[in-house]
Coordinates of all heavy atoms in Angstrom, one line a residue:
M1 N 146.6 89.5 90.3 CA 146.2 88.4 89.5 C 145.3 87.5 90.4 O 144.3 87.0 89.9 CB 147.4 87.7 88.9 CG 147.0 86.6 87.9 SD 146.4 87.2 86.3 CE 147.9 87.9 85.7
E2 N 145.7 87.3 91.6 CA 145.0 86.4 92.5 C 143.5 86.8 92.7 O 142.6 86.0 92.7 CB 145.6 86.2 93.9 CG 146.7 85.1 93.9 CD 147.2 84.9 95.3 OE1 146.4 84.8 96.2 OE2 148.4 84.8 95.5
K3 N 143.3 88.1 92.9 CA 142.0 88.7 93.1 C 141.1 88.4 91.8 O 140.0 88.0 91.9 CB 142.0 90.1 93.4 CG 140.6 90.7 93.7 CD 140.6 92.2 94.1 CE 139.3 92.8 94.3 NZ 138.1 92.1 93.9
L4 N 141.7 88.7 90.6 CA 141.0 88.4 89.4 C 140.6 86.9 89.3 O 139.5 86.6 88.9 CB 141.8 88.8 88.2 CG 142.0 90.3 87.9 CD1 142.9 90.5 86.8 CD2 140.6 91.0 87.7
L5 N 141.5 86.1 89.6 CA 141.2 84.6 89.6 C 140.1 84.2 90.5 O 139.2 83.5 90.2 CB 142.5 83.8 89.8 CG 143.5 83.9 88.7 CD1 144.9 83.3 89.2 CD2 143.1 83.1 87.5
R6 N 140.2 84.8 91.7 CA 139.1 84.4 92.7 C 137.8 85.0 92.3 O 136.7 84.3 92.4 CB 139.5 85.0 94.1 CG 140.7 84.2 94.7 CD 140.8 84.4 96.2 NE 142.0 83.8 96.6 CZ 142.2 82.5 96.7 NH1 141.3 81.6 96.4 NH2 143.4 82.0 97.2
D7 N 137.8 86.2 91.7 CA 136.5 86.8 91.2 C 136.0 85.9 90.0 O 134.8 85.7 89.9 CB 136.7 88.2 90.7 CG 137.0 89.2 91.8 OD1 136.7 88.9 93.0 OD2 137.4 90.3 91.5
A8 N 136.9 85.5 89.2 CA 136.5 84.6 88.0 C 135.8 83.3 88.5 O 134.8 82.9 88.0 CB 137.7 84.3 87.2
M9 N 136.4 82.8 89.6 CA 135.8 81.6 90.2 C 134.5 81.8 90.8 O 133.5 81.0 90.6 CB 136.8 81.0 91.2 CG 136.3 79.7 91.8 SD 137.5 79.0 93.0 CE 137.4 80.2 94.3
Q10 N 134.3 82.9 91.5 CA 133.0 83.2 92.2 C 131.9 83.5 91.2 O 130.8 83.1 91.4 CB 133.2 84.3 93.2 CG 134.1 83.9 94.4 CD 134.4 85.0 95.3 OE1 134.1 86.2 95.0 NE2 134.9 84.7 96.5
T11 N 132.2 84.3 90.1 CA 131.2 84.7 89.2 C 130.9 83.6 88.2 O 129.8 83.7 87.6 CB 131.6 86.0 88.5 OG1 132.8 85.7 87.7 CG2 131.8 87.1 89.4
G12 N 131.8 82.7 87.9 CA 131.6 81.7 86.9 C 131.7 82.2 85.5 O 131.3 81.5 84.5
E13 N 132.2 83.4 85.3 CA 132.4 84.0 84.0 C 133.5 83.4 83.2 O 134.5 82.9 83.8 CB 132.6 85.5 84.1 CG 131.4 86.3 84.6 CD 131.6 87.7 84.9 OE1 132.7 88.1 85.3 OE2 130.7 88.5 84.6
T14 N 133.5 83.5 81.9 CA 134.6 83.1 81.1 C 135.6 84.2 81.0 O 135.3 85.3 80.8 CB 134.1 82.6 79.7 OG1 133.1 81.6 79.9 CG2 135.2 82.1 78.8
W15 N 136.9 83.8 81.1 CA 138.0 84.8 81.0 C 139.0 84.3 79.9 O 139.1 83.1 79.6 CB 138.7 84.9 82.3 CG 138.0 85.6 83.3 CD1 136.9 85.2 84.0 CD2 138.3 86.9 83.8 NE1 136.4 86.2 84.8 CE2 137.3 87.2 84.8 CE3 139.3 87.8 83.6 CZ2 137.3 88.4 85.5 CZ3 139.3 89.0 84.3 CH2 138.3 89.3 85.2
T16 N 139.6 85.3 79.3 CA 140.7 85.0 78.3 C 142.0 85.2 79.0 O 142.2 86.2 79.7 CB 140.6 86.0 77.1 OG1 139.3 85.8 76.5 CG2 141.7 85.7 76.1
I17 N 142.9 84.3 78.8 CA 144.2 84.4 79.4 C 145.3 84.2 78.4 O 145.1 83.6 77.4 CB 144.5 83.4 80.6 CG1 144.4 81.9 80.1 CG2 143.5 83.6 81.7 CD1 144.9 80.9 81.1
I18 N 146.4 84.9 78.6 CA 147.6 84.6 77.9 C 148.5 83.7 78.8 O 148.8 84.1 79.9 CB 148.4 85.9 77.5 CG1 147.5 86.8 76.7 CG2 149.6 85.6 76.7 CD1 146.9 86.3 75.4
Y19 N 148.9 82.6 78.3 CA 149.5 81.6 79.2 C 150.9 81.1 78.5 O 151.0 80.9 77.3 CB 148.6 80.4 79.3 CG 149.1 79.4 80.4 CD1 149.0 79.7 81.7 CD2 149.7 78.2 80.0 CE1 149.5 78.8 82.7 CE2 150.2 77.3 81.0 CZ 150.0 77.6 82.3 OH 150.5 76.8 83.3
R20 N 151.9 81.0 79.4 CA 153.2 80.5 79.0 C 153.3 79.1 79.5 O 153.3 78.9 80.7 CB 154.3 81.4 79.5 CG 155.7 80.9 79.0 CD 156.8 81.8 79.6 NE 156.8 81.6 81.0 CZ 156.9 82.5 82.0 NH1 157.0 83.8 81.6 NH2 157.0 82.2 83.2
S21 N 153.6 78.1 78.6 CA 153.7 76.8 79.1 C 155.1 76.5 79.7 O 156.0 77.4 79.6 CB 153.5 75.8 77.9 OG 154.6 75.8 77.1
R22 N 155.2 75.3 80.3 CA 156.5 75.0 80.9 C 157.6 74.9 79.8 O 158.8 75.0 80.0 CB 156.5 73.7 81.6 CG 155.7 73.8 82.9 CD 155.7 72.5 83.7 NE 154.5 71.8 83.1 CZ 154.1 70.6 83.5 NH1 154.9 69.9 84.2 NH2 153.0 70.1 83.0
M23 N 157.2 74.7 78.5 CA 158.1 74.6 77.4 C 158.3 76.0 76.8 O 158.9 76.1 75.7 CB 157.6 73.6 76.4 CG 157.6 72.2 77.0 SD 157.0 71.0 75.8 CE 158.2 71.1 74.6
N24 N 157.8 77.0 77.4 CA 158.0 78.4 77.0 C 157.3 78.7 75.7 O 157.7 79.6 75.0 CB 159.5 78.8 76.9 CG 159.7 80.2 77.4 OD1 159.0 80.7 78.2 ND2 160.8 80.8 76.9
L25 N 156.1 78.1 75.5 CA 155.3 78.4 74.4 C 154.1 79.2 74.9 O 153.6 79.0 76.0 CB 154.7 77.1 73.7 CG 155.8 76.2 73.2 CD1 155.2 74.9 72.7 CD2 156.5 76.8 72.0
F26 N 153.6 80.2 74.1 CA 152.6 81.1 74.5 C 151.3 80.7 73.8 O 151.3 80.3 72.6 CB 152.9 82.5 74.1 CG 154.2 83.0 74.8 CD1 155.4 82.8 74.4 CD2 154.0 83.7 76.0 CE1 156.5 83.2 75.0 CE2 155.1 84.2 76.7 CZ 156.4 83.9 76.2
S27 N 150.2 80.8 74.5 CA 148.9 80.5 74.0 C 147.8 81.5 74.6 O 148.0 82.0 75.7 CB 148.5 79.1 74.2 OG 148.3 78.8 75.5
K28 N 146.8 81.6 73.8 CA 145.6 82.4 74.3 C 144.5 81.4 74.5 O 144.2 80.6 73.7 CB 145.2 83.4 73.2 CG 144.1 84.3 73.6 CD 143.8 85.3 72.4 CE 142.7 86.2 72.8 NZ 142.5 87.2 71.7
R29 N 144.0 81.4 75.8 CA 142.9 80.5 76.1 C 141.7 81.2 76.7 O 141.8 82.2 77.4 CB 143.5 79.5 77.2 CG 144.8 78.9 77.0 CD 144.7 77.7 76.1 NE 146.0 77.0 76.0 CZ 146.2 75.9 76.6 NH1 145.4 75.3 77.4 NH2 147.4 75.3 76.4
E30 N 140.6 80.6 76.4 CA 139.3 81.0 77.1 C 139.1 79.9 78.2 O 139.0 78.7 77.9 CB 138.2 81.1 76.1 CG 138.1 82.4 75.3 CD 139.2 82.4 74.2 OE1 139.4 81.3 73.6 OE2 139.7 83.5 74.0
I31 N 139.0 80.4 79.4 CA 138.8 79.4 80.5 C 137.7 79.8 81.5 O 137.3 81.0 81.5 CB 140.1 79.3 81.4 CG1 140.4 80.6 82.1 CG2 141.3 78.8 80.5 CD1 141.5 80.5 83.1
K32 N 137.2 78.9 82.2 CA 136.2 79.1 83.3 C 136.9 78.5 84.5 O 137.1 77.3 84.6 CB 134.9 78.4 83.0 CG 133.8 78.7 84.0 CD 132.5 78.2 83.6 CE 132.0 79.2 82.5 NZ 130.6 79.2 82.3
V33 N 137.2 79.4 85.5 CA 137.9 78.9 86.7 C 137.0 78.1 87.6 O 135.9 78.6 87.9 CB 138.5 80.1 87.4 CG1 139.1 79.7 88.7 CG2 139.4 80.9 86.6
L34 N 137.4 76.9 87.9 CA 136.6 76.0 88.8 C 137.1 76.0 90.2 O 136.4 75.7 91.1 CB 136.6 74.6 88.2 CG 136.1 74.5 86.7 CD1 136.3 73.1 86.2 CD2 134.7 74.9 86.6
G35 N 138.4 76.2 90.3 CA 139.0 76.1 91.7 C 140.4 76.7 91.7 O 141.1 76.8 90.6
I36 N 140.9 77.0 92.9 CA 142.3 77.5 93.0 C 142.9 76.7 94.2 O 142.3 76.6 95.3 CB 142.3 79.0 93.3 CG1 141.7 79.8 92.2 CG2 143.7 79.5 93.6 CD1 141.4 81.2 92.5
N37 N 144.1 76.2 94.0 CA 144.8 75.4 95.0 C 146.2 75.9 95.0 O 147.0 75.4 94.2 CB 144.7 73.9 94.7 CG 145.3 73.1 95.8 OD1 145.7 73.6 96.8 ND2 145.3 71.8 95.5
G38 N 146.5 76.8 95.9 CA 147.9 77.4 96.0 C 148.2 78.2 94.7 O 147.5 79.1 94.4
N39 N 149.2 77.7 94.0 CA 149.6 78.4 92.8 C 149.0 77.7 91.5 O 149.4 78.1 90.4 CB 151.1 78.5 92.6 CG 151.8 77.2 92.4 OD1 151.2 76.1 92.8 ND2 152.9 77.2 91.8
R40 N 148.1 76.8 91.7 CA 147.4 76.1 90.6 C 146.0 76.6 90.5 O 145.3 76.7 91.4 CB 147.5 74.6 90.8 CG 148.9 74.1 90.7 CD 149.0 72.6 91.0 NE 148.6 72.4 92.4 CZ 148.5 71.2 93.0 NH1 148.6 70.1 92.3 NH2 148.2 71.1 94.2
V41 N 145.6 76.8 89.2 CA 144.2 77.2 88.9 C 143.7 76.0 88.1 O 144.2 75.6 87.1 CB 144.2 78.4 88.0 CG1 142.8 78.8 87.6 CG2 144.8 79.6 88.8
I42 N 142.6 75.4 88.6 CA 141.9 74.4 87.9 C 140.7 75.0 87.1 O 139.9 75.8 87.7 CB 141.3 73.3 88.9 CG1 142.5 72.5 89.5 CG2 140.4 72.3 88.1 CD1 143.3 73.2 90.5
A43 N 140.7 74.8 85.8 CA 139.8 75.5 85.0 C 139.4 74.7 83.8 O 140.1 73.8 83.3 CB 140.4 76.9 84.5
Y44 N 138.2 75.0 83.3 CA 137.8 74.3 82.0 C 138.3 75.2 80.9 O 138.1 76.4 80.9 CB 136.2 74.3 81.9 CG 135.8 73.6 80.6 CD1 135.8 72.2 80.5 CD2 135.5 74.4 79.5 CE1 135.5 71.6 79.3 CE2 135.1 73.8 78.3 CZ 135.1 72.4 78.2 OH 134.8 71.8 77.1
C45 N 139.1 74.5 80.0 CA 139.7 75.2 78.9 C 138.9 75.0 77.7 O 138.7 73.8 77.3 CB 141.1 74.7 78.7 SG 141.9 75.4 77.2
F46 N 138.3 76.0 77.1 CA 137.4 75.8 75.9 C 138.2 75.4 74.7 O 137.7 74.8 73.8 CB 136.6 77.1 75.6 CG 135.6 77.3 76.7 CD1 135.9 78.1 77.8 CD2 134.3 76.8 76.6 CE1 134.9 78.3 78.8 CE2 133.4 77.0 77.6 CZ 133.7 77.7 78.7
W47 N 139.5 75.8 74.6 CA 140.4 75.4 73.5 C 140.6 73.9 73.5 O 140.5 73.2 72.5 CB 141.7 76.2 73.6 CG 142.6 76.0 72.4 CD1 142.2 76.2 71.1 CD2 143.9 75.7 72.4 NE1 143.4 75.9 70.3 CE2 144.4 75.6 71.1 CE3 144.8 75.4 73.5 CZ2 145.7 75.3 70.8 CZ3 146.1 75.1 73.1 CH2 146.6 75.0 71.8
R48 N 141.0 73.4 74.6 CA 141.3 71.9 74.8 C 140.0 71.1 75.0 O 140.0 69.9 75.0 CB 142.3 71.7 75.9 CG 143.6 72.3 75.7 CD 144.4 71.3 74.9 NE 145.8 71.8 74.9 CZ 146.7 71.2 74.2 NH1 146.5 70.1 73.5 NH2 148.0 71.7 74.2
Q49 N 138.9 71.8 75.4 CA 137.7 71.2 75.7 C 137.9 70.1 76.8 O 137.4 69.0 76.7 CB 137.0 70.5 74.5 CG 136.7 71.6 73.4 CD 136.0 71.0 72.2 OE1 135.8 69.8 72.1 NE2 135.5 71.9 71.4
A50 N 138.6 70.6 77.9 CA 138.9 69.7 79.0 C 139.2 70.5 80.2 O 139.5 71.7 80.1 CB 140.0 68.8 78.7
I51 N 139.1 69.9 81.4 CA 139.6 70.5 82.6 C 141.1 70.5 82.6 O 141.7 69.4 82.4 CB 139.0 69.9 83.8 CG1 137.4 70.1 83.8 CG2 139.6 70.4 85.1 CD1 136.7 69.4 84.9
R52 N 141.7 71.6 82.9 CA 143.2 71.7 82.8 C 143.7 72.4 84.1 O 142.9 73.1 84.8 CB 143.7 72.6 81.6 CG 143.1 72.1 80.3 CD 143.6 70.8 79.8 NE 145.0 71.0 79.4 CZ 145.7 70.1 78.8 NH1 145.2 68.9 78.6 NH2 146.9 70.3 78.5
T53 N 145.0 72.3 84.4 CA 145.6 73.0 85.5 C 146.6 74.0 84.9 O 147.4 73.7 84.0 CB 146.4 72.0 86.3 OG1 145.5 71.0 86.9 CG2 147.1 72.7 87.5
F54 N 146.4 75.2 85.4 CA 147.3 76.4 85.0 C 148.0 76.9 86.2 O 147.4 77.0 87.3 CB 146.5 77.5 84.4 CG 145.7 77.1 83.1 CD1 144.4 76.7 83.3 CD2 146.2 77.1 81.9 CE1 143.6 76.3 82.1 CE2 145.5 76.8 80.8 CZ 144.2 76.3 80.9
Y55 N 149.3 77.2 86.0 CA 150.1 77.7 87.1 C 150.0 79.3 87.1 O 150.2 79.9 86.1 CB 151.5 77.3 87.1 CG 151.6 75.8 87.3 CD1 151.6 74.9 86.3 CD2 151.7 75.3 88.6 CE1 151.6 73.5 86.6 CE2 151.8 73.9 88.9 CZ 151.7 73.0 87.8 OH 151.8 71.7 88.1
T56 N 149.7 79.9 88.3 CA 149.5 81.3 88.3 C 150.7 82.1 87.8 O 150.5 83.1 87.2 CB 149.1 81.8 89.7 OG1 150.1 81.4 90.6 CG2 147.8 81.2 90.2
E57 N 151.9 81.6 88.1 CA 153.1 82.3 87.6 C 153.2 82.3 86.1 O 154.0 83.1 85.5 CB 154.3 81.8 88.3 CG 154.6 80.4 88.0 CD 154.1 79.4 89.0 OE1 153.2 79.8 89.8 OE2 154.5 78.2 89.1
N58 N 152.5 81.5 85.4 CA 152.6 81.4 83.9 C 151.4 82.1 83.3 O 151.3 82.1 82.0 CB 152.6 79.9 83.5 CG 154.0 79.3 83.9 OD1 154.9 80.0 84.2 ND2 154.0 78.0 83.9
I59 N 150.4 82.6 84.0 CA 149.4 83.4 83.5 C 149.9 84.8 83.3 O 150.1 85.5 84.3 CB 148.1 83.4 84.3 CG1 147.6 81.9 84.4 CG2 147.0 84.3 83.7 CD1 146.4 81.7 85.3
L60 N 150.1 85.3 82.1 CA 150.8 86.5 81.9 C 149.8 87.7 81.8 O 150.1 88.8 82.2 CB 151.6 86.5 80.6 CG 152.6 85.4 80.5 CD1 153.3 85.4 79.1 CD2 153.6 85.5 81.6
A61 N 148.6 87.4 81.4 CA 147.5 88.4 81.3 C 146.2 87.8 81.3 O 146.1 86.6 81.0 CB 147.7 89.3 80.1
M62 N 145.2 88.5 81.8 CA 143.8 88.0 81.7 C 142.8 89.1 81.6 O 143.0 90.2 82.1 CB 143.5 87.0 82.9 CG 143.5 87.6 84.3 SD 143.2 86.4 85.6 CE 141.5 85.9 85.3
E63 N 141.7 88.8 81.0 CA 140.6 89.8 80.9 C 139.3 89.0 80.7 O 139.3 87.9 80.3 CB 140.8 90.8 79.7 CG 140.6 90.2 78.4 CD 140.7 91.2 77.2 OE1 140.7 92.4 77.5 OE2 140.8 90.8 76.1
K64 N 138.2 89.7 81.1 CA 136.9 89.0 80.9 C 136.7 88.7 79.4 O 137.0 89.6 78.5 CB 135.7 89.9 81.3 CG 135.6 89.9 82.8 CD 134.4 90.7 83.2 CE 134.3 90.8 84.7 NZ 133.2 91.6 85.2
W65 N 136.2 87.5 79.1 CA 136.0 87.1 77.7 C 134.9 87.9 77.1 O 133.9 88.2 77.7 CB 135.7 85.7 77.6 CG 135.5 85.2 76.3 CD1 136.4 84.8 75.4 CD2 134.2 85.0 75.6 NE1 135.8 84.4 74.2 CE2 134.5 84.5 74.3 CE3 132.9 85.3 75.9 CZ2 133.5 84.3 73.4 CZ3 131.9 85.1 75.0 CH2 132.2 84.6 73.7
R66 N 135.1 88.3 75.8 CA 134.0 88.9 75.1 C 134.1 88.4 73.6 O 135.2 88.2 73.1 CB 134.0 90.4 75.1 CG 135.3 91.0 74.5 CD 135.3 92.5 74.6 NE 136.4 93.1 73.9 CZ 137.7 93.0 74.3 NH1 137.9 92.4 75.5 NH2 138.6 93.5 73.7
D67 N 133.0 88.2 73.0 CA 132.9 87.8 71.6 C 133.2 89.0 70.8 O 132.3 89.8 70.6 CB 131.6 87.2 71.3 CG 131.5 86.6 69.9 OD1 132.5 86.8 69.1 OD2 130.6 85.9 69.6
I68 N 134.4 89.1 70.3 CA 134.8 90.3 69.5 C 134.0 90.5 68.2 O 134.0 91.5 67.6 CB 136.3 90.5 69.3 CG1 136.8 89.3 68.4 CG2 137.0 90.5 70.6 CD1 138.2 89.5 68.0
N69 N 133.5 89.4 67.7 CA 132.7 89.4 66.5 C 131.4 90.2 66.7 O 130.8 90.6 65.8 CB 132.5 88.0 65.9 CG 133.8 87.4 65.6 OD1 134.7 88.0 65.0 ND2 133.9 86.1 65.9
H70 N 131.0 90.3 68.0 CA 129.7 90.9 68.3 C 129.9 92.1 69.2 O 129.0 92.6 69.8 CB 128.7 89.9 68.9 CG 128.4 88.8 67.9 ND1 129.0 87.6 68.0 CD2 127.5 88.8 66.9 CE1 128.5 86.8 67.0 NE2 127.6 87.5 66.4
D71 N 131.1 92.6 69.4 CA 131.4 93.7 70.3 C 131.4 95.0 69.5 O 132.4 95.3 68.8 CB 132.7 93.5 71.0 CG 133.0 94.5 72.0 OD1 132.3 95.5 72.2 OD2 134.0 94.3 72.7
C72 N 130.3 95.7 69.5 CA 130.2 97.0 68.7 C 131.0 98.1 69.3 O 131.3 99.1 68.7 CB 128.8 97.4 68.6 SG 127.8 96.1 67.7
T73 N 131.4 98.0 70.6 CA 132.1 99.1 71.3 C 133.6 99.2 70.8 O 134.2 100.2 71.0 CB 132.0 99.0 72.8 OG1 132.7 97.7 73.2 CG2 130.6 99.0 73.3
R74 N 134.1 98.1 70.3 CA 135.6 98.1 69.9 C 135.7 97.3 68.6 O 136.3 96.3 68.5 CB 136.4 97.4 71.0 CG 136.4 98.2 72.3 CD 137.1 97.5 73.4 NE 138.5 97.4 73.1 CZ 139.4 96.8 73.8 NH1 139.1 96.2 74.9 NH2 140.7 96.8 73.5
P75 N 135.2 97.9 67.5 CA 135.2 97.1 66.2 C 136.6 97.0 65.7 O 136.8 96.2 64.8 CB 134.3 98.0 65.3 CG 134.4 99.4 65.9 CD 134.6 99.2 67.4
W76 N 137.6 97.7 66.1 CA 138.9 97.6 65.6 C 139.7 96.5 66.2 O 140.9 96.2 65.8 CB 139.7 99.0 65.8 CG 139.8 99.3 67.3 CD1 140.8 99.0 68.1 CD2 138.9 100.1 68.0 NE1 140.5 99.4 69.4 CE2 139.3 100.1 69.4 CE3 137.7 100.7 67.8 CZ2 138.7 100.8 70.4 CZ3 137.0 101.4 68.8 CH2 137.5 101.4 70.1
V77 N 139.2 95.8 67.2 CA 139.9 94.8 67.9 C 139.9 93.5 67.1 O 138.8 93.1 66.6 CB 139.3 94.5 69.3 CG1 140.0 93.3 70.0 CG2 139.4 95.7 70.2
H78 N 141.0 92.9 66.8 CA 141.1 91.7 66.1 C 141.8 90.6 66.9 O 142.7 91.0 67.6 CB 141.8 91.9 64.7 CG 141.1 92.8 63.9 ND1 139.9 92.6 63.2 CD2 141.4 94.1 63.6 CE1 139.5 93.6 62.5 NE2 140.4 94.6 62.7
Q79 N 141.4 89.4 66.7 CA 142.1 88.3 67.4 C 143.5 88.2 66.8 O 143.7 88.3 65.6 CB 141.4 87.0 67.3 CG 140.2 87.0 68.2 CD 139.5 85.6 68.2 OE1 139.6 84.9 67.2 NE2 138.9 85.3 69.2
V80 N 144.5 87.9 67.7 CA 145.9 87.7 67.2 C 146.3 86.3 67.6 O 146.0 85.8 68.7 CB 146.8 88.7 67.9 CG1 148.3 88.5 67.5 CG2 146.4 90.1 67.6
D81 N 146.9 85.6 66.7 CA 147.4 84.3 67.0 C 148.7 84.5 67.8 O 149.8 84.7 67.2 CB 147.7 83.5 65.7 CG 148.2 82.1 65.9 OD1 148.4 81.8 67.1 OD2 148.3 81.4 65.0
I82 N 148.6 84.4 69.1 CA 149.7 84.6 70.0 C 150.9 83.7 69.7 O 152.1 84.1 69.8 CB 149.3 84.5 71.5 CG1 148.2 85.5 71.8 CG2 150.4 84.6 72.4 CD1 148.6 87.0 71.6
I83 N 150.6 82.5 69.4 CA 151.7 81.5 69.2 C 152.6 81.9 68.0 O 153.8 82.0 68.1 CB 151.1 80.1 68.9 CG1 150.4 79.6 70.2 CG2 152.2 79.1 68.5 CD1 149.6 78.4 70.0
N84 N 151.9 82.4 66.9 CA 152.7 82.8 65.7 C 153.5 84.1 66.0 O 154.6 84.3 65.5 CB 151.8 83.0 64.5 CG 151.4 81.6 64.0 OD1 152.1 80.6 64.2 ND2 150.3 81.6 63.3
V85 N 152.9 85.0 66.8 CA 153.6 86.3 67.1 C 154.8 85.9 67.9 O 155.9 86.5 67.7 CB 152.6 87.2 67.9 CG1 153.4 88.4 68.5 CG2 151.5 87.7 67.0
A86 N 154.7 85.0 68.9 CA 155.8 84.7 69.8 C 156.9 84.1 69.0 O 158.1 84.3 69.3 CB 155.3 83.8 70.9
R87 N 156.6 83.3 68.0 CA 157.7 82.6 67.2 C 158.4 83.6 66.3 O 159.6 83.3 66.0 CB 157.0 81.5 66.4 CG 156.6 80.3 67.2 CD 156.0 79.3 66.3 NE 155.5 78.2 67.1 CZ 154.7 77.3 66.8 NH1 154.2 77.3 65.6 NH2 154.3 76.3 67.6
T88 N 157.8 84.7 66.0 CA 158.5 85.7 65.1 C 159.4 86.6 65.8 O 160.2 87.3 65.3 CB 157.5 86.5 64.2 OG1 156.6 87.2 65.1 CG2 156.7 85.6 63.3
C89 N 159.3 86.7 67.2 CA 160.0 87.6 68.0 C 161.4 87.0 68.3 O 161.7 85.9 68.4 CB 159.3 87.9 69.3 SG 157.8 88.8 69.0

């Protein structure tokens, strides 16, 4: 995960993460990594429209962001509301 985060910071690309909050709530965020300080990732969060701090141990998954509405290579991919899925489990 650290290598992906450092690559994200160096390239300036937007990434999608699945994040678990301290209150054990799950969310899907699109972020642009601005810096890394130990176990903290400072990033611009497009959902909150603000600079936020994320803890690396709470980032459960990450992938390069892509606009699935315009991604012809994977038309079967649909966004999932992670918060609602987590509540039903």
Side-chain angles (χ1 to χ4, degrees):
M1 188 74 67
E2 271 187 47
K3 182 178 179 345
L4 287 176
L5 290 166
R6 291 199 187 286
D7 289 347
M9 183 177 64
Q10 290 175 351
T11 62
E13 295 174 318
T14 301
W15 286 70
T16 301
I17 63 169
I18 304 299
Y19 189 75
R20 183 183 66 226
S21 73
R22 286 180 274 174
M23 296 178 63
N24 218 24
L25 298 174
F26 296 85
S27 63
K28 181 177 181 179
R29 310 279 187 104
E30 279 76 35
I31 65 168
K32 186 171 286 206
V33 178
L34 304 174
I36 301 169
N37 185 5
N39 69 333
R40 292 178 291 175
V41 176
I42 291 71
Y44 181 81
C45 175
F46 290 92
W47 185 53
R48 295 277 188 183
Q49 297 182 353
I51 295 174
R52 309 291 287 190
T53 299
F54 300 94
Y55 292 92
T56 56
E57 60 268 19
N58 291 342
I59 298 175
L60 305 177
M62 66 184 290
E63 70 175 352
K64 284 186 186 176
W65 180 85
R66 65 184 183 284
D67 185 350
I68 63 168
N69 296 320
H70 298 98
D71 186 354
C72 297
T73 60
R74 296 177 65 184
W76 60 88
V77 176
H78 300 284
Q79 287 184 332
V80 176
D81 184 352
I82 299 298
I83 296 170
N84 288 335
V85 170
R87 288 182 183 159
T88 60
C89 295

